[in-house]
Amino acid sequence: MVTTIKVGMLGLGTVDSGVVERLREAATKIEQMQGVRFQLAAVAVHHLNAPRRVVLPVGTRLTNSIDAVVTDPEIQLVVEVMGTVATAKAAIITALQHGKSVVTANKDLIATAGDQLVALAQQRCCDLFYEASVAGGIPILRTLTDSYATDTVQSVTGIINGTANYILSAMTQTGQSYAEALATAQRLGYAEADPSHDVQGIDAAYKLIILSRFAFGQGLTVKQVQPVGITSVTAAQCRQAAVNGWQIKLLAQARQHGQRLYCRVAPVAVGQDQALSQVGGVQNGIMIASQAIGDSLYTGPGAGSSATANSVLNDMVVAGQRIRTGIRGAAFNRNHHQLTVTHFNQLAQSYLIFSDLPTAILTRYASEERFTLKVLGNQSYQTGTLWPEQLANLEAEAHVTAIPIAESAVWPKRVAALPVQAGIAI
């Protein structure tokens, strides 16, 4: 018995078109294996007469009214991949209020308003899925929900912005300047005309916020993450790091230590013996360290029409099954804990230092501040462990660029909890 589910789609851009194509290609398999048939009933677009790269199924209604889709009583599932924040948020709220399940890939919205939307979905006994909001081609959210259900995640470390990773890889491998690598990325379609969210680390911060909720049950804010982008990293620094055994990567990191969750998004020197250093170009890679499994690396395309559309379609299948069985409203993520959020810059750690100051001056300063400084060549150095105050003093006194070295942080000793004393209630 096949259940037909009517779907409304918001937008018909690159990803949305990919969803239509993937739905057509996988329709027979979905019906045979899942017992669900998706009927694309309506698509809301901004311009009705704009050229489309995809042919809609016969019977699909094209409209320029979002409300006409999200309030249609026959539509049971709404797919939002149009982007924006305010418009998409209003549309999803209306859809949920009208009892429709929702699938979205909108990382900006989920990172900033996800808790509100999840609460509304549960209140209305609807489903809200957003696997494609993080690393589109890697089913990392459902993996954290299902495969780590009985495990304890200790850290999440990810290369989760393909644009930034492509630029850093190009500067390292070819010596292109930042501007040249960015222009190439834009020409190849790997970077937007306005790449600021990608190169400033904001996109990666949004994705880390979502990952943290699933991995640790603790939400983050952009202010807590304090993202540092790649705009000040040079090709000379990337190549010099590579010569000495590191790859500079824009890392998104969260690690639980005791009741604290340490986080950051920043350029980090990753040792070439570490698996994440080999994730190049526009690929994404997410390393999960957990108590039972240990280290696991998940890699794949982080964006692109086909990869993201496939994640959206998988969410649609799960939502469709819940509609078919009449069991809806369970939150996508049910991991909730209360942790104190702290930034990685509060930890002592080692750094790659780049400076055009004479080596003698830096060496003398290191001696005065009592930290070790190894000369690597070409105005580059490796420090021993620097406490935050020492780094702040160094940056204030000298013109240096400091890039933290992965896995060099000194973690504070855990304080054992005091035994609970028995008492008598009066």
Side-chain angles (χ1 to χ4, degrees), residues 65-108:
S65 170
I66 292 175
D67 275 351
V69 175
V70 297
T71 63
D72 186 332
E74 293 189 349
I75 289 175
Q76 300 158 280
L77 176 61
V78 171
V79 177
E80 184 280 309
V81 203
M82 64 181 177
T84 74
V85 173
T87 302
K89 180 180 178 181
I92 291 174
I93 287 175
T94 302
L96 293 172
Q97 288 174 334
H98 282 75
K100 305 179 191 311
S101 292
V102 175
V103 170
T104 179
N106 197 325
K107 61 182 173 298
D108 297 27

Side-chain angles (χ1 to χ4, degrees), residues 5 55 339:
I5 295 173
V55 178
L339 301 173

Side-chain angles (χ1 to χ4, degrees), residues 133-166:
S133 65
V134 179
I138 308 172
I140 192 64
L141 300 184
R142 194 153 276 114
T143 297
L144 284 167
T145 297
D146 298 338
S147 300
Y148 288 86
T150 60
D151 202 350
T152 300
V153 175
Q154 298 163 323
S155 69
V156 174
T157 306
I159 296 170
I160 48 180
N161 183 274
T163 300
N165 200 43
Y166 176 86

